[in-house]
């Protein structure tokens, strides 16, 4: 099978879908790889590292399967040959026009954010690998923005107490944020609507913040479900009291297919002390803080509210390395004997394949 690696063209995207290491494994497995000039340059993988790994420099659209990070532009779809396959984070649920175009060109497309979160799919789980990067980077941004140290310092110039960090939403990104803030020496607490995460938070040396009322926010597939309006308003009151004591709040809460829930209202920010920092990882899906603006920093009464977008692209080497592992596992799953063999009774293929045989398959 011939696999193509294009240079990403989305603004500020510095990741690459396959790294030289991954290429070397694919070539050993009998595949051919063609890489566009400069594809891995911004992630720290120069062209000659790819050729040393066994790839050929050239036009990736000549491949049977094109592997990308971000979805292609209309111009890029126009260059894909009929019968080609495409793998990437295509954001299929919000890309109706793109899917129609891909189907018209008879491209078989796989949108990897749709992978089911099942044990068998864990090695391909791009959402988890990239959320790990985002959670880590969110804390570094907070530490860089905060006007104070994270660790406690006992110095001749006085004793400085550690920063108090509160992480709202303890999924993959949230747990990584907790671990990173702990490593920097902060005193960390975590909160989630899924009671199951209490133990995970505590095993990282953080405190689980519990409401008096036990929230049963666990929905299908281990994800959260939306709280009732009453429960949500009690949650907001509880969090408004909790964020007052925090120097840093990192929010990561999400509900699949829905706008991110508001967890920190304007009134709650009013109650925070000047110099506090909020990093809202849900900025791209509407924000967990009422004042967040995606892609920028807002100052409100001395509180900095950061709404970073596409944080994984800011750590492109390791983000690409993890992504490349995910893609390689996915290719290993859908390809047999040097070609794609699609089995639509397989949960992974069925969930991720969004165009095939001239049709859009997404419901
Ligand atoms: P996510 O990005 O969908 O959500 C982040 C967190 O926000 C979740 O922990 C969620 O419970 C929380 N949240 C939602 N609404 C909230 C609210 N109102 N208040 C507070 N918190 C709220 O989650 P994710 O990181 O993608 O992980 C979701 C689940 O999937 C986790 O249980 C994780 O362990 C599981 N998972 C399973 C696999 C697998 O088996 N392959 C892989 C990855 C993740």
């Amino acid at each position: 099978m011939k696999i193509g690696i294009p240079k990403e063209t989305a603004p500020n995207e510095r990741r690459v879908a396959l790294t030289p290491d991954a290429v070397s494994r694919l070539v050993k497995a009998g595949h051919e790889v063609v890489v566009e000039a400069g594809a891995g340059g911004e992630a720290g993988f120069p062209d000659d590292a790819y050729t040393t790994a066994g790839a050929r420099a050239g036009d990736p659209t000549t491949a049977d399967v094109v592997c990308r990070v971000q979805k292609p532009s209309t111009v890029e779809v126009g260059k894909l040959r009929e019968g080609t396959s495409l793998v990437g984070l295509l954001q299929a649920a919000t890309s109706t026009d793109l899917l129609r175009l891909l189907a018209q060109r008879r491209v078989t497309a796989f949108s990897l954010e749709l992978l089911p979160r099942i044990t068998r799919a864990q090695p391909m789980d791009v959402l988890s690998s990239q959320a790990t990067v985002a959670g880590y980077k969110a804390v570094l941004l907070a530490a860089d923005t905060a006007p104070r140290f994270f660790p406690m310092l006992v110095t001749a110039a006085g004793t400085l107490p550690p920063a108090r960090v509160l992480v709202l939403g303890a999924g993959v990104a949230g747990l990584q944020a907790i671990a990173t803030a702990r490593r920097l020496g902060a005193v960390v607490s975590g909160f989630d609507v899924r009671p199951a995460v209490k133990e995970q938070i505590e095993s990282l040396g953080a405190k689980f913040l519990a409401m008096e009322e036990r929230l049963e926010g666990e929905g299908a597939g281990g994800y959260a479900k939306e709280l009732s309006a009453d429960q949500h308003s009690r949650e907001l009151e509880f969090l408004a009291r909790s964020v007052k004591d925090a120097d840093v709040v990192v929010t990561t809460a999400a509900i699949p297919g829905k706008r991110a829930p508001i967890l920190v209202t304007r009134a709650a920010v009013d109650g925070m002390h000047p110099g506090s920092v909020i990093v809202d990882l849900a900025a791209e899906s509407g924000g967990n803080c009422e004042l967040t603006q995606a892609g920028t920093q807002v100052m409100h009464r001395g509180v900095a509210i950061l709404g970073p977008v596409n944080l994984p692209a800011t750590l492109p080497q390791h983000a690409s390395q993890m992504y490349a592992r995910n893609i390689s596992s996915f290719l290993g799953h859908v390809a047999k004997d040097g070609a794609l063999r699609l089995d639509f009774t397989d949960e992974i293929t069925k969930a991720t394949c969004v165009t095939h045989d001239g049709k859009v398959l997404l419901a």
Side-chain angles (χ1 to χ4, degrees), residues 29-305:
H31 301 297
E32 218 184 303
V33 179
V34 54
V35 61
E36 185 171 350
E42 291 204 62
F45 305 115
D47 292 346
D48 57 0
Y50 283 94
T51 40
T52 308
R56 194 169 53 71
D59 177 2
T61 61
T62 59
D64 306 312
V65 183
V66 175
C67 297
R68 314 184 51 99
V69 178
Q70 300 275 356
K71 58 186 176 186
S73 66
T74 309
V75 174
E76 285 163 330
V77 174
K79 290 182 187 160
L80 292 175
R81 290 173 308 116
E82 204 170 282
T84 309
S85 296
L86 174 70
V87 183
L89 287 165
L90 306 182
Q91 308 303 342
T94 50
S95 307
T96 321
D97 291 345
L98 171 70
L99 297 196
R100 207 175 301 128
L101 212 58
L102 288 166
Q104 270 167 20
R105 294 200 66 79
R106 303 191 80 78
V107 170
T108 296
F110 299 91
S111 202
L112 290 191
E113 77 282 354
L114 300 176
L115 270 166
R117 308 302 274 284
I118 53 176
T119 309
R120 207 156 54 86
Q122 267 177 4
M124 317 167 200
D125 190 348
V126 285
L127 288 185
S128 288
S129 70
Q130 305 306 295
T132 300
V133 180
Y136 166 81
K137 203 63 197 277
V139 170
L140 297 192
L141 279 183
D144 193 35
T145 308
R148 52 178 302 136
F149 286 113
F150 265 38
M152 183 172 107
L153 292 188
V154 181
T155 78
T159 297
L160 305 168
R164 288 156 304 173
V165 174
L166 172 60
V167 177
L168 303 180
V172 180
L175 290 172
Q176 189 54 234
I178 289 172
T180 307
R182 287 276 302 144
R183 286 186 199 116
L184 284 178
V187 170
V188 186
S189 336
F191 172 79
D192 201 294
V193 285
R194 292 181 299 118
V197 299
K198 177 177 187 290
E199 255 175 51
Q200 294 166 15
I201 291 174
E202 288 173 349
S203 71
L204 293 169
K207 182 177 163 213
F208 177 67
L209 272 195
M211 282 172 65
E212 303 83 55
E213 144 187 31
R214 185 178 153 94
L215 293 175
E216 294 293 349
E218 179 113 21
Y223 283 111
K225 64 177 186 206
E226 225 168 2
L227 296 177
S228 69
D230 272 2
Q231 274 188 327
H232 187 224
S233 80
R234 287 194 293 277
E235 182 191 24
L236 289 180
E237 280 168 31
F238 171 75
L239 291 179
R241 291 196 298 276
S242 309
V243 296
K244 269 190 188 146
D245 297 328
D247 301 305
V248 168
V249 178
V250 176
T251 70
T252 75
I255 296 166
K258 309 242 177 208
R259 185 210 182 282
I262 292 289
L263 303 184
V264 184
T265 58
R266 168 188 282 265
V269 180
D270 285 343
M272 292 176 74
H273 58 82
S276 312
V277 177
I278 299 175
V279 179
D280 189 344
L281 279 192
E284 279 164 282
S285 50
N288 289 142
C289 174
E290 214 170 16
L291 300 177
T292 297
Q293 284 179 28
T296 184
Q297 176 175 330
V298 174
M299 287 302 293
H300 180 79
R301 296 186 166 196
V303 178
I305 303 147

